[in-house]
Amino acid sequence: MAMNLVKLPTGNPNLLLRVSKGHYATSHSHINYYIDVTLSKFRLSEARAVAAELVSEYKSTTIIDTILCLDGTEVIGACMASELTKDGFTNMNAHQTIYVVTPEHTTGSQLLFRENTAPMIKGKHVLVLAASVTTGYTVQGAVEAIRYYGGEPAGIAAIFATETECAGYPVRSIFDPNDLPDYRSYDAHNCPWCKEGKKIDALVNSFGYSSI
């Protein structure tokens, strides 16, 4: 069943927030808005707009050697790397090049880097890029993995975030609860909608939704 998505304008004319209100379950919580970031991740024009917005936070202030892409954000990550290494911009990266890396996940959801990709983390300043940061569990795991493999977390960037800080690092996002003032998130065991007997509309994550 197709989800009814509503486009909400934002302060950036090139970026729209696509949402659907309902009762949704993620792997960690129950939420009342599904935020669709599909086009922001996979449509080049929107990925470029997202990247341009996010890099303004890091361009001349933060050393970034590697962008660690979570939730299928590789296109945005590549656009960010391109922005950060443009001629004419002040860049804290001494090598004028940036790795764009996707982690592998073990069956226990831990992040794994093979021998050919681990050197892109070890000794590098690594920016974590996520589609969304709500509970923070996934990003926390990414920060821990970066440290385990000998890297230095350089920050956290996301399309949408309800958290302003995670794992001791500030979270920079394009959209936040100010764009959705009535956004709510609850632990699955304390969900008021479940207690009211309201049916779950779909299982959702950063890759999409599955109606149930």
Side-chain angles (χ1 to χ4, degrees):
M1 183 177 67
M3 185 175 286
N4 181 30
L5 292 170
V6 176
K7 297 178 182 179
L8 301 179
T10 68
N12 188 326
N14 296 316
L15 297 170
L16 292 172
L17 191 60
R18 299 174 181 86
V19 303
S20 179
K21 195 169 186 179
H23 180 194
Y24 304 109
T26 75
S27 57
H28 301 295
S29 62
H30 285 200
I31 54 179
N32 65 331
Y33 273 101
Y34 167 63
I35 299 164
D36 184 18
V37 294
T38 305
L39 294 182
S40 296
K41 292 192 299 181
F42 302 132
R43 188 181 185 188
L44 185 57
S45 59
E46 291 201 27
R48 281 175 174 159
V50 168
E53 189 84 3
L54 288 175
V55 296
S56 63
E57 297 285 347
Y58 305 103
K59 194 170 288 181
S60 60
T61 61
T62 307
I63 298 173
I64 297 174
D65 302 304
T66 299
I67 298 175
L68 176 58
C69 300
L70 307 177
D71 311 326
T73 56
E74 290 84 359
V75 178
I76 297 172
C79 291
M80 288 182 71
S82 179
E83 286 285 329
L84 287 166
T85 54
K86 269 184 179 179
D87 290 338
F89 285 116
T90 302
N91 186 3
M92 297 294 287
N93 186 312
H95 306 292
Q96 292 295 306
T97 189
I98 292 176
Y99 297 105
V100 181
V101 183
T102 302
E104 188 176 339
H105 292 269
T106 67
T107 53
S109 296
Q110 292 178 307
L111 273 63
L112 170 70
F113 296 96
R114 302 284 178 174
E115 292 177 10
N116 55 317
T117 54
M120 301 176 189
I121 302 297
K122 185 176 181 179
K124 303 293 192 294
H125 297 86
V126 185
L127 176 70
V128 178
L129 175 62
S132 63
V133 179
T134 51
T135 60
Y137 290 119
T138 303
V139 170
Q140 175 79 41
V143 169
E144 291 172 358
I146 291 168
R147 289 174 175 156
Y148 177 82
Y149 283 92
E152 176 64 35
I156 299 165
I159 302 173
F160 176 81
T162 57
E163 304 294 322
T164 57
E165 184 271 341
C166 185
Y169 296 89
V171 177
R172 309 298 186 190
S173 67
I174 295 177
F175 306 119
D176 58 38
N178 290 322
D179 298 296
L180 290 173
D182 59 338
Y183 178 91
R184 297 291 182 272
S185 175
Y186 298 98
D187 180 272
H189 300 293
N190 297 304
C191 174
W193 309 305
C194 288
K195 292 177 181 178
E196 293 171 3
K198 186 177 180 182
K199 180 180 177 293
I200 293 174
D201 296 306
L203 303 177
V204 301
N205 61 21
S206 296
F207 291 95
Y209 64 91
S210 298
S211 301
I212 57 175

